Amino acid sequence: MALHRFATTVAKLNNSGLFNGSTCTPAGGSVVTLGDKNAEATAVGQAAPPDGRATEMTDARNPGESPGRHARRLLDRGQMPPPGLVNATVSRSWERCLKSGLAPLAGPATPDPVSPPRLKQALEQRRELLRQARPIVEYLYSQVSGSGSMVILADDQGLLIEALGDAEFLKRAERVALQPGACWHEQDRGTNAIGTALAERVPVAVHGSEHFLDCNRFLTCTAAPVLGSDGKLLGVIDISGHHSARHPHTLGLVQTASHMIESRVFELGHEGATRLRLHPQAEGIGTLAEGLLALDEDGRIVGANRTSLNLLGLADIEIGHVGIDGVLALASGGLLQQARQHPGAVLNAETRSGRSLFLRAEPGRSPPARALPRRTAPARDALAELDTGDERMRQCLERARKVVGKPIPILLQGESGVGKEMVAAAIHTSGPRQKRAMVAVNCAALPEHLIEAELFGYAPGAFTGARREGAPGRIREADRGTLFLDEIGDMPLTLQSRLLRVLQERQVVPVGSGKPVTVDFALIAASHRPLKFEVEHGRFRADLYYRLNGITLTLPSLRSRSDFAVLMSRLLERFEPGAGLMVEPGVAAALADYSWPGNLRELANVLRFASALLDPGETAIGWQHLPEDLVDELRRPDPVRLDEGTGAISLRAASDSLIEHTLHTSGGNLSEAARRLGISRTTLYRRIGGNQRRGATLI
């Protein structure tokens, strides 16, 4: 009954039409609801029948076993279930957990809560969040009390900082450390609503066996992230209980509570700024469903809630960088003047996409401070600017930040074009050597007979053609700065020993000179080749690898990143600042599904080309603006087909498809294709010849 009281309130708000889908659907993501029977059926790859009854599907290889049970059995054996057996969000979470080394049948990575002094320190650091959220937590608990559940507030790292609950359930929750001071980040506790909501940045409900750790399967948990007005994660609000007590309205409760906390944080943080309240209906202004914007003196947007970002089609990274006149068809000066002369007046404006909105401008309670945006945007260092929402990339950047300025070499690994040089530059710019030079050396581009002189320098007259005054070499140029050795995996073995000596002794002996020169530099190396694999096959020195590998950061490929839309938006803004360029939805979906063998470098080239083909005044990129070869690639059918009758993919067909794709992306270069495939050129010739005899075409 207690849960029903608040559920009825939420249902009335939804039925009123004021939400219009903007409040309950976060920007850039979808709500994951696994709380009722239909949602649970969907979560395990089933379509819910119209009468609401869950449909039981069987696995052909194990009659009578549901897909969800089969998926769980595979997971408990440490195997990742094939796609389609569980909800995509849960599947991604399980995969992250397995990769982080968690075992489903083992305990959590950090079983015990933090010490009281550390918890006290954490509470002090989150004092403002607690101050704004505590009344909402208490109100939310008053609505669910007596239902055998608890309300939890966690910070942006998954640390539980506030919890209220029924005594009977609290005792059981403590057995799995569901209490203040415990960390419920995915890396510590596996798939759970708190940790998964942090990782996905969307509301999540995780029920029963969808929890990664077996010890948590008695729980049903529902959580929604809490975001600041700058788009950053502040924490998570969660309702947890016994799986037998789940309620279909719980997801709506936590989303509403999250929205209430965000509104309180917004109002407190922007008391002195001009504020805009937005809604598609005039009656929606002043309600929980309104969009909120904060403007500085110049009309620049310095704060926004998720609803306003959705209404205006903005990404959170644009906060602090765009003006209101660029997103609404009403001059910012007019808005600011209206706020001063007619506070509380309701205006009508149009977004840049033509959507009609009602808004009310309110002047700040004190003179707006011009320092506000400068405290928000410029405070972000170069590494933070590269964080566009992908969890794996964020983890790489966070690890890099921890070793910046320390005498620890950094090894960047990843496919060509993933942004290794960009990350290296950000590491340098974020560290204490930023005022010194960062010297980049592409080891794959240097002629083998000149690479030694190029790196170590040479004395006057050291060889024919040498400059009269000699040359310091790239390593000495990096003295007191940063040396970036790009494509280090392509450095000849004969030269690797000399480089190793330089790294060990921090001294360089120029060619033609016997006098060593002391050098001091931060070292960053990068390679698209997996160096550990190269070491095992004798193509790279083991001692040099361990000297370079102070910390290894493996950057994710573009096709595996979850922030593709944000990356496109940022690149378009970089190429045409303030132009408001966008990609048509159909084209954007095709680009998002493309494999991008050239990764970020290829994406940047495509968008730069497309931007150049736009006519004056044109802002939408369509198929006609893309390079022809890319359009052909996007529209070509998948060569791999299911065998008729069995529904299985032929191993030969998959192998042929991989060879064909690699030859295509290698431009027909057989040597390069063989290298990428990890086979000899003779084997590749034999495969191509065998397929031609069977009538297949690979090139």
Side-chain angles (χ1 to χ4, degrees):
M1 292 300 293
L3 186 61
H4 181 70
R5 294 196 299 271
F6 196 30
T8 303
T9 303
V10 175
K12 288 180 178 179
L13 284 172
N14 283 326
N15 293 334
S16 70
L18 293 180
F19 282 96
N20 274 340
S22 58
T23 308
C24 293
T25 303
S30 59
V31 176
V32 181
T33 56
L34 307 177
D36 56 35
K37 291 184 178 180
N38 288 352
E40 187 176 11
T42 304
V44 294
Q46 304 173 41
D51 62 0
R53 293 174 299 173
T55 300
E56 190 79 6
M57 293 182 65
T58 59
D59 188 315
R61 292 179 299 176
N62 194 349
E65 184 179 45
S66 69
R69 188 180 298 275
H70 178 52
R72 185 70 213 189
R73 183 163 54 83
L74 292 175
L75 181 69
D76 288 345
R77 294 203 305 244
Q79 300 175 14
M80 191 62 205
L85 291 183
V86 294
N87 176 276
T89 300
V90 173
S91 180
R92 287 193 299 271
S93 176
W94 284 3
E95 187 172 10
R96 289 191 295 266
C97 296
L98 288 173
K99 288 182 178 179
S100 68
L102 290 177
L105 300 180
T110 54
D112 299 322
V114 299
S115 63
R118 187 178 169 191
L119 177 59
K120 183 179 179 181
Q121 181 184 16
L123 295 176
E124 181 63 27
Q125 292 172 345
R126 279 80 173 176
R127 179 173 54 184
E128 197 55 51
L129 173 63
L130 273 168
R131 191 163 74 91
Q132 300 304 318
R134 186 166 280 141
I136 311 301
V137 171
E138 292 175 353
Y139 173 69
L140 187 58
Y141 175 62
S142 72
Q143 301 301 306
V144 302
S145 62
S147 62
S149 57
M150 63 189 299
V151 178
I152 300 167
L153 179 70
D155 69 6
D156 60 332
Q157 300 301 312
L159 181 70
L160 275 54
I161 57 177
E162 183 83 350
L164 294 174
D166 296 340
E168 181 180 350
F169 180 72
L170 287 177
K171 292 179 181 178
R172 185 161 188 182
E174 288 178 358
R175 299 175 190 172
V176 291
L178 194 60
Q179 63 189 90
C183 184
W184 279 71
H185 194 281
E186 266 192 357
Q187 292 182 349
D188 298 305
R189 304 279 169 175
T191 304
N192 69 90
I194 294 172
T196 305
L198 286 173
E200 298 280 339
R201 289 174 65 95
V202 297
V204 173
V206 179
H207 178 69
S209 61
E210 287 161 351
H211 288 86
F212 183 85
L213 295 182
D214 184 73
C215 60
N216 295 331
R217 292 172 67 173
F218 74 94
L219 295 169
T220 183
C221 306
T222 308
V226 178
L227 304 182
S229 62
D230 57 358
K232 293 182 180 178
L233 272 170
L234 297 179
V236 170
I237 183 78
D238 169 270
I239 295 178
S240 292
H242 192 272
H243 69 84
S244 62
R246 62 177 177 172
H247 195 284
H249 291 302
T250 306
L251 188 64
L253 300 183
V254 295
Q255 286 180 269
T256 303
S258 167
H259 192 84
M260 294 168 68
I261 296 171
E262 290 173 351
S263 296
R264 288 174 59 89
V265 171
F266 178 94
E267 298 290 356
L268 179 69
H270 299 288
E271 285 182 313
T274 298
R275 297 180 302 281
L276 299 185
R277 302 181 184 277
L278 315 171
H279 199 275
Q281 303 173 30
E283 298 82 3
I285 294 177
T287 69
L288 190 62
E290 68 181 353
L292 298 172
L293 290 177
L295 310 179
D296 67 3
E297 287 180 316
D298 301 319
R300 184 169 44 167
I301 298 173
V302 294
N305 69 354
R306 282 182 280 184
T307 303
S308 63
L309 293 178
N310 284 338
L311 291 172
L312 299 177
L314 294 176
D316 53 21
I317 62 170
E318 297 180 88
I319 298 173
H321 302 286
V322 297
I324 190 64
D325 55 342
V327 295
L328 282 174
L330 188 63
S332 61
L335 282 173
L336 296 175
Q337 185 179 5
Q338 186 75 22
R340 289 192 293 266
Q341 296 181 356
H342 306 286
V346 177
L347 308 174
N348 185 254
E350 284 191 357
T351 68
R352 57 189 178 188
S353 64
R355 184 177 187 179
S356 178
L357 292 177
F358 292 92
L359 62 88
R360 186 174 72 206
E362 298 177 352
R365 297 189 181 92
S366 59
R370 296 184 63 90
L372 180 62
R374 291 171 176 78
R375 189 172 64 245
T376 302
R380 289 165 58 88
D381 62 15
L383 285 168
E385 290 297 328
L386 297 181
D387 182 3
T388 50
D390 181 78
E391 182 62 20
R392 287 179 58 194
M393 190 66 179
R394 180 181 293 123
Q395 290 176 4
C396 286
L397 298 174
E398 289 176 352
R399 294 184 69 196
R401 185 178 286 106
K402 291 179 180 179
V403 298
V404 165
K406 299 177 181 177
I408 299 175
I410 299 173
L411 177 61
L412 303 177
Q413 295 265 243
E415 298 175 8
S416 294
V418 295
K420 295 187 288 293
E421 185 169 359
M422 184 169 55
V423 172
I427 293 172
H428 170 74
T429 306
S430 302
R433 299 175 183 261
Q434 58 180 284
K435 295 184 178 179
R436 300 289 178 177
M438 172 180 159
V439 178
V441 181
N442 189 333
C443 301
L446 293 175
E448 187 168 347
H449 63 286
L450 292 178
I451 191 170
E452 190 171 10
E454 186 75 16
L455 281 178
F456 307 123
Y458 55 87
F463 51 87
T464 303
R467 289 188 295 181
R468 182 180 304 175
E469 66 275 17
R474 307 308 300 277
I475 292 179
R476 288 171 61 188
E477 289 175 357
D479 187 38
R480 301 178 68 186
T482 299
L483 177 65
F484 176 52
L485 298 177
D486 198 10
E487 299 302 345
I488 186 69
D490 293 307
M491 177 176 283
L493 277 168
T494 53
L495 197 60
Q496 291 177 21
S497 58
R498 282 208 61 185
L499 176 62
L500 175 64
R501 190 157 50 249
V502 170
L503 299 181
Q504 288 174 334
E505 300 172 1
R506 295 286 162 160
Q507 289 184 330
V508 173
V509 179
V511 176
S513 171
K515 183 179 179 181
V517 179
T518 301
V519 288
D520 171 34
F521 54 84
L523 178 64
I524 305 174
S527 178
H528 71 280
R529 301 178 185 273
L531 291 190
K532 190 172 183 180
F533 179 85
E534 296 293 303
V535 168
E536 293 171 354
H537 289 76
R539 294 188 289 266
F540 198 84
R541 290 183 62 109
D543 46 5
L544 178 57
Y545 169 73
Y546 293 116
R547 175 65 62 175
L548 297 172
N549 184 23
I551 179 174
T552 295
L553 304 176
T554 302
L555 307 186
S557 62
L558 178 57
R559 61 184 169 274
S560 67
R561 292 182 61 161
S562 60
D563 54 351
F564 184 82
V566 179
L567 290 171
M568 279 204 307
S569 175
R570 178 172 288 193
L571 287 171
L572 289 173
E573 180 62 21
R574 182 194 303 171
F575 299 149
E576 297 290 339
L581 298 188
M582 59 170 288
V583 181
E584 293 178 359
V587 177
L591 293 177
D593 289 336
Y594 181 52
S595 61
W596 296 107
N599 291 290
L600 282 172
R601 185 183 296 121
E602 183 182 7
L603 175 62
N605 289 338
V606 167
L607 295 181
R608 187 182 291 110
F609 175 92
S611 302
L613 262 60
L614 289 170
D615 293 329
E618 202 174 11
T619 60
I621 293 175
W623 289 103
Q624 68 275 22
H625 302 116
L626 300 181
E628 292 182 4
D629 58 339
L630 177 63
V631 173
D632 292 339
E633 187 70 17
L634 293 175
R635 290 178 168 172
R636 67 186 294 199
D638 185 357
V640 177
R641 291 288 181 263
L642 297 180
D643 289 345
E644 294 183 3
T646 66
I649 296 176
S650 161
L651 181 59
R652 169 67 67 174
S655 176
D656 290 347
S657 175
L658 177 61
I659 292 174
E660 180 183 6
H661 177 75
T662 307
L663 284 169
H664 179 77
T665 56
S666 302
N669 187 321
L670 296 179
S671 298
E672 175 63 15
R675 186 189 65 77
R676 293 186 183 184
L677 290 166
I679 61 177
S680 68
R681 195 163 58 172
T682 302
T683 301
L684 181 58
Y685 278 131
R686 186 168 61 249
R687 286 301 308 275
I688 294 173
N691 279 282
Q692 289 174 343
R693 285 192 295 272
R694 292 194 306 271
T697 302
L698 286 179
I699 54 176

